[in-house]
């Protein structure tokens, strides 16, 4: 009987050791692998910018409440002291165009690069505010180089960035589910967006 118990205990001990060895060799669960890969992302990833002290993020959604996303876009334009640079796929919003015109009227350098196909000259099918803004002192060009130039962002004073899904249109303000986001006081981020604006603007034509 003693030998039987001894043999049973030895077998159980060997089995536990084998299971422990298998657990050591086994891959971690998928969730653990995801967490590990996130933690191990290098700190020198291209395009990463530090968040400066004082930087803030403001978010709004469309279509409600009360054209909140459109009002946030106008707010960032009206905050400009020196410059406003807009890249837009579709630009049909008169309230936003008026904000651009007001900025130009108070001496701010205001420029816009628009998708060429969605913003033809004249007031035809697109209702684009391309010519409207040009007439009030905004430096407007249209970029024809891409299937669509789908950007929608604004850089203000080299330190504030507005971006998101929100097109500068009546439909985005009134009918669509959209988001608009402003990152205030983040100069490194603003400089990256401004560099991209300058590249798109250099490719464009009047």
């Amino acid at each position: 009987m003693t030998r039987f118990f001894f043999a049973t205990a030895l077998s159980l001990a060997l089995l536990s050791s084998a299971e422990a060895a298998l657990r050591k060799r086994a891959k971690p669960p998928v969730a653990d692998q995801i967490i590990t890969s996130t933690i191990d992302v290098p700190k020198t990833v291209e395009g990463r910018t530090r968040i400066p002290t004082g930087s803030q993020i403001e978010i709004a959604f469309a279509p409600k409440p009360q054209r909140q996303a459109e009002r946030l876009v106008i707010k960032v334009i009206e905050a400009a002291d020196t410059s406003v640079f807009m890249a837009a796929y579709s630009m049909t919003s008169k309230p936003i165009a008026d904000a651009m015109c007001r900025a130009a009227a108070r001496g701010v350098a205001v420029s816009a690069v628009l998708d060429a196909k969605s913003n033809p000259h004249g007031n035809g099918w697109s209702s684009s505010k391309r010519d409207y803004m040009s007439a009030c002192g905004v430096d407007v060009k249209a970029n024809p180089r891409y299937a669509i130039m789908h950007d929608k962002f604004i850089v203000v004073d080299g330190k504030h960035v507005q971006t998101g899904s929100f097109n500068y249109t009546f439909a985005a303000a009134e009918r669509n589910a959209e988001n608009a986001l402003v990152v205030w006081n983040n100069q490194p981020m603003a400089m990256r967006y401004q560099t991209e604006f300058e590249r798109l603007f250099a490719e464009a034509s009047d």
Side-chain angles (χ1 to χ4, degrees), residues 47-92:
R48 178 173 292 184
T49 60
R50 293 183 180 276
I51 301 175
T53 303
S55 181
Q56 295 181 321
I57 296 172
E58 192 168 355
I59 301 167
F61 299 95
K64 295 179 180 180
Q66 301 173 340
R67 300 172 75 108
Q68 186 182 77
E70 181 183 69
R71 288 188 292 113
L72 180 57
V73 172
I74 292 169
K75 176 180 176 179
V76 74
I77 295 168
E78 291 184 337
D81 292 319
T82 58
S83 61
V84 177
F85 302 121
M86 170 190 282
Y89 167 58
S90 184
M91 176 55 198
T92 64

Side-chain angles (χ1 to χ4, degrees), residues 101 121 129-141:
C101 291
H121 283 296
K129 300 305 178 195
R130 176 180 178 177
D131 292 339
Y132 180 85
M133 291 194 300
S134 249
C136 75
V138 178
D139 189 5
V140 183
K141 290 187 177 181

Side-chain angles (χ1 to χ4, degrees), residues 60-64 69 164-167 170-180:
F61 299 95
K64 295 179 180 180
S165 72
F166 186 82
N167 283 302
F170 172 86
E174 283 286 337
R175 299 173 184 164
N176 301 346
E178 305 276 4
N179 71 87

